[in-house]
Amino acid sequence: MADLKDFAEQLVNLTVKEVNELADILKEEYGIEPAAAAVAVAGGGAAGGGEAAEEKSEFDVVLTAAGGSKLAVVKLVKELTGLGLKDAKELVDGAPKAIKEGVAKDEAEALKAQLEEAGAEVELK
């Protein structure tokens, strides 16, 4: 029982970067997609500290415009979201739309950087 309490304490004290690495390991090695659990753990850890609780822990990645290279943006949205090509195109055509909602700050910033590199205009909310 003490081992489980130690394990729970370790999970609660993970940084956002460590949570993302854990999510990658679970996905790649075990086929588990822990997106909701990873956000819950990250949010739970932030809520534990006084100042950290005030900082926003979940972000929405919103595509505001496809930009000049629409095809590259559609392909990237397809890859990032796991949507089919038709659905990804509809999402890009319907901008402004949320690409992902409720993601950790590090992941949101990484998604924003990838989309902007492909030519899209992106906001974090």
Side-chain angles (χ1 to χ4, degrees):
M1 194 59 99
D3 291 336
L4 287 176
K5 286 185 180 186
D6 291 340
F7 179 68
E9 177 134 352
Q10 288 176 337
L11 283 176
V12 171
N13 291 323
L14 289 176
T15 65
V16 173
K17 182 179 178 183
E18 292 169 332
V19 169
N20 285 333
E21 289 175 13
L22 176 61
D24 289 341
I25 291 168
L26 289 173
K27 183 177 180 182
E28 292 171 9
E29 294 185 18
Y30 300 100
I32 300 170
E33 294 206 33
V39 171
V41 169
E51 291 181 27
E54 296 173 15
E55 186 176 326
K56 188 172 180 179
S57 63
E58 293 183 353
F59 293 85
D60 296 341
V61 181
V62 179
L63 177 72
T64 56
S69 183
K70 183 176 170 183
L71 182 59
V73 173
V74 170
K75 286 181 180 180
L76 184 58
V77 167
K78 178 183 177 290
E79 178 185 319
L80 294 174
T81 61
L83 294 172
L85 186 59
K86 180 182 176 193
D87 293 332
K89 183 182 182 302
E90 288 175 0
L91 194 148
V92 171
D93 287 342
K97 287 221 175 169
I99 301 292
K100 286 204 174 186
E101 298 177 334
V103 296
K105 184 177 182 179
D106 289 346
E107 182 181 354
E109 288 174 350
L111 292 171
K112 180 180 179 187
Q114 287 179 308
L115 288 162
E116 286 177 342
E117 188 175 308
E121 295 177 25
V122 183
E123 284 183 3
L124 297 182
K125 293 187 177 183

